Amino acid sequence: MKITRIETFMVPPRWLFCRIETDEGVVGWGEPVVEGRAEVVRAAVDVLAEYLIGRDPLRIQDHWQVLSKGGFYRGGPVLSSAVAGIDQALWDIAGKVYGAPVYALLGGALRDEVRVYAWVGGDEPARLTDEVAAQVEAGFTAVKMNATGRTSPIPTLAETAAVVERVAAAREVLGPDRDVAVDLHGRFGPAAARRVLRAIEPLHPLFVEEPLLPEQGHLLSTLVGATSVPVATGERLYGRAEFLPALNAGIAVAQPDLSHAGGISEVHRIASLADTYGVQLAPHCPLGPIALAASLQIAFCTPNFLIQEQSRGIHYNKDADLLSYVVDTDPFRFVAGQASRTALPGLGITVDEDAVRAADRTGHAWRNPVWRHPDGSFAEW
């Protein structure tokens, strides 16, 4: 079997899909994207495709090594995301060839259901209570929210109190038997993050995500030691080597993204590394159906898996949603906040190719907003 064609598709709201075709008619799909830089990743996939055309798609690990390390300059979000989407597609092909889901090829399932959480925003508090109540009504047992919108690096007493008030409002709706995760998005400085984590400790968040920017990883151990709140990070870390300092710092939850951190191959290795530290895995995935399908394959076969992010109804999805590009929506039917395991081969989904090609003709040019403080200086988004 040989790879004969590699195509990419820019599809709303902000995604990039990759299709790999073989001379035997087997097709695999992946989702290589950096949100806001999809065009750049598309170009990277085109460059990497030069190596893959004419090669055996089943030599996944060899291809991963060459694509990730064959160039003198390595790593970073663009290259790692391009490799990630290609890697997902190759695993999809392998599963279809062998007639097995990817989790079976990785050692077999060890759970039948995967707990997922829903997004409820949180930047603006006005609708937060209603949004949390709606997700509880839909059966979810966990939600994630932003702690704040634009904020000062060292927030005022009022800004800090507003964070506590929002998390408390979510907790009141959720009660003691459901969970809330809180995303700081790297918006606070280190001292402020310590203050905020201590303030919300009594509300018992499942975890606090990205309390520091990834470039401040050398300060993580100080933050972890100052709070009992489980600290989570990893959406902007792209491989095992980048996760190692965070693991050594004592994080509780690792959050690699299947579309950024080298795909199924590398996230599977990151999960094993995290397990040696007693760290749980909660893959980051505010993306499309292919990325989520790949994440679920990892979740079904990973001992230290905790919970899975998914993007149904997320605030980014204005022109299309998680179910817009799949033929069968059952793999993404969440009952009581759980996704059920199927025996479907590969990634376990059927992509609606006609819908994808039609959406690509429109494309998108999604960019994250650029925020500024009242004095005009740059603010973390």
Side-chain angles (χ1 to χ4, degrees):
M1 186 186 302
K2 306 295 181 185
I3 296 171
T4 55
R5 182 163 60 158
I6 299 178
E7 302 173 272
T8 52
F9 305 92
M10 296 268 292
V11 298
R14 56 179 191 156
W15 305 330
L16 179 68
F17 294 169
C18 173
R19 179 185 184 272
I20 299 183
E21 183 177 334
T22 71
D23 59 352
E24 295 186 10
V26 183
V27 171
W29 288 86
E31 193 168 334
V33 68
V34 172
E35 302 94 295
R37 300 290 185 268
E39 303 94 330
V40 184
V41 181
R42 183 179 225 177
V45 172
D46 289 344
V47 172
L48 297 177
E50 296 172 4
Y51 171 80
L52 289 170
I53 297 297
R55 299 187 185 273
D56 180 357
L58 300 181
R59 297 190 62 179
I60 299 173
Q61 295 302 336
D62 183 63
H63 296 329
W64 193 94
Q65 294 291 321
V66 172
L67 297 180
S68 297
K69 302 178 180 179
F72 184 73
Y73 297 99
R74 308 175 181 180
V78 172
L79 178 60
S80 294
S81 297
V83 172
I86 291 170
D87 183 81
Q88 293 170 17
L90 294 178
W91 278 105
D92 194 27
I93 289 172
K96 291 171 180 175
V97 168
Y98 296 123
V102 170
Y103 67 74
L105 303 183
L106 294 173
L110 48 74
R111 59 178 53 85
D112 297 321
E113 293 182 319
V114 164
R115 189 185 187 201
V116 299
Y117 64 81
W119 261 96
V120 292
D123 284 13
E124 302 299 332
R127 298 192 303 167
L128 178 62
T129 299
D130 289 342
E131 290 176 352
V132 175
Q135 299 301 346
V136 170
E137 179 68 22
F140 289 96
T141 61
V143 300
K144 188 168 79 174
M145 58 181 286
N146 283 323
T148 181
R150 184 188 63 186
T151 192
S152 308
I154 300 180
T156 64
L157 174 60
E159 288 175 313
T160 302
V163 173
V164 178
E165 181 181 355
R166 283 193 285 272
V167 179
R171 170 55 70 198
E172 183 175 357
V173 177
L174 292 165
D177 297 321
R178 301 181 185 90
D179 285 309
V180 58
V182 182
D183 191 352
L184 297 194
H185 229 245
R187 293 171 182 169
F188 293 98
R194 286 196 297 273
R195 176 179 285 166
V196 169
L197 262 63
R198 285 174 180 163
I200 63 175
E201 274 185 356
L203 298 169
H204 203 84
L206 177 64
F207 57 75
V208 168
E209 178 175 329
E210 217 171 28
L212 298 179
L213 293 167
E215 56 265 35
Q216 296 170 339
H218 58 288
L219 302 175
L220 263 176
S221 61
T222 302
L223 182 65
V224 169
T227 181
S228 66
V229 174
V231 171
T233 196
E235 69 186 82
R236 290 188 272 186
L237 302 177
Y238 310 115
R240 285 160 289 161
E242 294 187 22
F243 269 90
L244 193 56
L247 296 171
N248 282 324
I251 64 168
V253 181
Q255 297 178 294
D257 190 305
L258 270 289
S259 284
H260 300 328
I264 291 169
S265 295
E266 184 68 353
V267 171
H268 189 241
R269 293 186 282 259
I270 290 168
S272 294
L273 177 62
D275 197 25
T276 66
Y277 285 80
V279 171
Q280 300 293 294
L281 190 80
H284 180 260
C285 190
L287 294 171
I290 304 172
L292 179 57
S295 299
L296 291 174
Q297 296 298 318
I298 287 288
F300 285 123
C301 65
T302 297
N304 53 322
F305 170 81
L306 176 66
I307 197 168
Q308 178 61 55
E309 181 173 25
Q310 55 84 29
S311 70
R312 284 188 65 177
I314 199 171
H315 45 288
Y316 303 118
N317 297 354
K318 295 180 180 178
D319 301 316
D321 209 338
L322 183 66
L323 306 181
S324 298
Y325 303 110
V326 292
V327 174
D328 179 9
T329 61
D330 276 356
F332 301 135
R333 188 168 62 92
F334 308 131
V335 178
Q338 307 273 347
S340 296
R341 179 168 60 87
T342 76
L344 297 172
L347 296 181
I349 60 170
T350 301
V351 173
D352 186 340
E353 189 169 325
D354 291 340
V356 169
R357 291 187 182 277
D360 181 61
R361 288 193 286 271
T362 301
H364 68 85
W366 188 87
R367 301 289 184 264
N368 65 252
V370 175
W371 285 354
R372 295 191 178 276
H373 294 298
D375 65 1
S377 63
F378 175 79
E380 288 289 344
W381 169 65

